Structure formats: structure tokens, C-alpha cells
Amino acid sequence: MTLTIEGESIGTVDLIAGSDVDRNQMLYTISRVGEFFSSTYFKVVIMLTMAVVAVYAFIWVLSILGVWSRESENK
């Protein structure tokens, strides 16, 4: 560790741990899951999924209204 005051290095010492600390697996897993859900990859996948669902819903509504049915073409 280096102690710096107003840009001037005052001193440097090596840090030594007094004991080992085990990682809490549950907190680590929660942290990793949170990182995944906040990642750009996840956000892009969600946006693409929402776009596909919206297009599907739009086509489904048009088919219910008879815009693309063969019966409306024959009339």
C-alpha cells in the first residue's frame, strides 16, 4: 500500500492478511447472477425477444381481423 498526500508519496508498506477468509458461496452466486442480469448481453437478448414477440402479436392480431386470411381475399 502506498500513502499519498497531495500527490506526494509518503510511504509504502506490504500488506499481509492475518487470516484467510472463505468466500460465502450464496453471496457470490447472487453477485454473479446480478452481474449477468445487468450485462449488455442480457439486455440485448431481452430487447430482441420483446421485438419478436411484438411482431408475432401484430401478425396474430392481423390474422384475427382477417387481413391475411384467404376468406377475405375471396370476398
Side-chain angles (χ1 to χ4, degrees):
M1 180 174 121
T2 303
L3 178 62
T4 305
I5 298 177
E6 296 182 7
E8 183 180 338
S9 178
I10 304 299
T12 302
V13 296
D14 293 330
L15 296 179
I16 301 172
S19 64
D20 289 341
V21 177
D22 291 333
R23 176 174 61 193
N24 184 324
Q25 191 62 36
M26 185 177 72
L27 292 178
Y28 176 72
T29 303
I30 290 171
S31 171
R32 296 293 295 180
V33 168
E35 288 176 16
F36 173 74
F37 285 122
S38 64
S39 70
T40 302
Y41 173 76
F42 178 75
K43 291 174 184 174
V44 168
V45 168
I46 291 298
M47 294 301 288
L48 289 174
T49 302
M50 289 172 54
V52 168
V53 168
V55 168
Y56 179 78
F58 180 72
I59 291 172
W60 181 71
V61 167
L62 289 179
S63 70
I64 287 177
L65 295 175
V67 174
W68 283 340
S69 69
R70 292 179 184 235
E71 294 174 3
S72 66
E73 291 175 3
N74 295 334
K75 291 183 182 179

